[in-house]
Amino acid sequence: MKNKLISLNILFSILKQVVLIEWNYDLQNKLFWAFDCDFDGNDMTNVRMNGETCGPTCSRTTGCTHFAWSKYQDGTCWMKYGVISKTNAKTIQGRGFVCGTVEINDPGNGGPSQNNVLATRHGATEMGACELPRSDYAVNLPVALGNIDSLGYLKFDGKYCGQILRIDCGNGDLDIIVTNSNLGGGLDLYGSTWDLATNSKPPGETRCSVKLTNRNMLKSSGYECFHSTGETNNLYYRNIGLFNTNGKLVVGAKFKGADGAHRGNNGYWAFDGYGTENDQVVFYFQDGSNHAVFLRDCKNGSNKQIWS
């Protein structure tokens, strides 16, 4: 009887936690949120910000599936990853916590799907605007990414160079790599990609769903830094990019306190000014985190991959 009473008390405590959490829905950012709750573990990154921007920031951050905000350090957003349910939230009474989940909870596949996106066949053989280095790629099916409205958050930007997208054009899911820009268009699928995506339809137009994944472009694991040019020892000019980031989007870079600049539609950041191989470049991700790389660890990426 005593063991049964203990079990009932535990069950009542769990049910009480669930009932106490009153969930709200943010239609604009497509997420659920609530006061006085938290999620244990699976921290991806944390960023100081106010509570109102924590959930929307998570919804825009690749890989973030749920979040928690506390008053720590005048407001800290803890972005989290992994399969989650609202029932996994625990109550934290009287301490000003906020927690929530992103409605499109697809941690293995990056961002939400964009549907009914125009796709055409791209017939060229070229290195493309992204100028990706020759290497051992995990995905070899290229796309020139456009900027039409139906692409939504996936409108072309240099941060998407080398990122892996998952498309379905009626012939099943297919992972492709962004190698080029196609401003004014949608998904401009190279010949090899078009044939697999459409089951070898004649060149023309089709419609696809597309989303960002968390896959790496290279077979190697971990971040990879490349010099865009062969000038790896140039003390006064650097043009470098960070790739193989598991879907994390690079949105900025600094070298010796100076911001890098894009000189083309690619994922490289250019810096003018004196520096040595023992200096570091800090790359900043869309989720608020960053990663520092010594220049000596950046590879020569002047030999470009050719895509067709």
Side-chain angles (χ1 to χ4, degrees):
M1 179 64 71
K2 184 178 179 180
N3 289 337
K4 287 183 178 180
L5 287 173
I6 292 173
S7 298
L8 287 173
N9 285 334
I10 292 173
L11 178 60
F12 178 75
S13 176
I14 294 172
L15 291 173
K16 186 178 179 181
Q17 280 190 338
V18 174
V19 171
L20 284 174
I21 298 176
E22 297 182 3
W23 294 100
N24 305 281
Y25 182 65
D26 181 339
L27 178 61
Q28 180 177 353
N29 295 293
K30 293 183 171 57
L31 57 87
F32 295 92
W33 66 274
F35 292 114
D36 300 323
C37 63
D38 189 16
F39 289 105
D40 286 329
N42 282 27
D43 293 336
M44 185 170 72
T45 188
N46 65 84
V47 184
R48 293 180 64 181
M49 64 177 64
N50 61 47
E52 290 78 10
T53 55
C54 181
T57 301
C58 175
S59 70
R60 295 192 301 269
T61 300
T62 301
C64 185
T65 59
H66 55 300
F67 61 91
W69 181 89
S70 76
K71 295 179 179 178
Y72 178 69
Q73 292 188 339
D74 296 323
T76 301
C77 179
W78 305 85
M79 285 180 271
K80 299 167 178 283
Y81 67 93
V83 178
I84 200 68
S85 166
K86 295 192 292 294
T87 59
N88 297 126
K90 65 178 185 180
T91 55
I92 305 289
Q93 293 288 351
R95 292 165 57 186
F97 275 64
V98 177
C99 78
T101 65
V102 177
E103 181 181 29
I104 303 171
N105 186 358
D106 196 4
N109 297 318
S113 290
Q114 300 296 122
N115 299 313
N116 199 34
V117 178
L118 173 68
T120 52
R121 189 181 187 277
H122 186 80
T125 297
E126 59 200 358
M127 69 179 182
C130 290
E131 301 182 26
L132 296 176
R134 181 166 293 180
S135 193
D136 192 9
Y137 283 83
V139 176
N140 289 285
L141 298 171
V143 61
L145 185 62
N147 61 350
I148 58 177
D149 288 341
S150 58
L151 281 167
Y153 75 103
L154 286 174
K155 291 180 181 180
F156 180 82
D157 187 279
K159 66 178 177 286
Y160 288 116
C161 285
Q163 295 292 342
I164 307 303
L165 308 181
R166 183 162 298 158
I167 61 171
D168 186 345
C169 305
N171 197 38
D173 286 345
L174 189 68
D175 285 359
I176 62 177
I177 180 172
V178 179
T179 65
N180 201 354
S181 61
N182 175 36
L183 303 183
L187 297 169
D188 210 20
L189 307 177
Y190 282 65
S192 57
T193 311
W194 173 270
D195 289 344
L196 287 174
T198 67
N199 196 23
S200 298
K201 285 183 179 179
E205 295 183 354
T206 191
R207 298 280 170 171
C208 308
S209 65
V210 56
K211 60 183 174 181
L212 181 67
T213 80
N214 294 337
R215 287 192 66 182
N216 272 334
M217 72 177 196
L218 303 178
K219 291 180 180 178
S220 60
S221 60
Y223 299 147
E224 294 277 3
C225 177
F226 290 91
H227 292 265
S228 177
T229 67
E231 299 177 291
T232 58
N233 296 316
N234 188 327
L235 297 180
Y236 300 99
Y237 176 75
R238 306 285 180 171
N239 194 14
I240 58 177
L242 188 69
F243 302 96
N244 231 42
T245 58
N246 288 112
K248 295 178 73 171
L249 302 175
V250 178
V251 294
K254 283 184 180 290
F255 179 55
K256 303 186 76 171
D259 290 322
H262 281 300
R263 293 176 182 168
N265 288 334
N266 54 52
Y268 299 98
W269 300 84
F271 301 91
D272 297 302
Y274 181 81
T276 73
E277 65 176 9
N278 295 317
D279 290 315
Q280 287 184 311
V281 176
V282 182
F283 293 94
Y284 295 88
F285 298 112
Q286 182 175 278
D287 65 13
S289 61
N290 61 74
H291 181 73
V293 182
F294 284 103
L295 284 174
R296 62 174 179 263
D297 294 327
C298 295
K299 301 175 182 178
N300 184 343
S302 61
N303 192 8
K304 307 300 183 183
Q305 190 88 357
I306 301 299
W307 307 91
S308 61

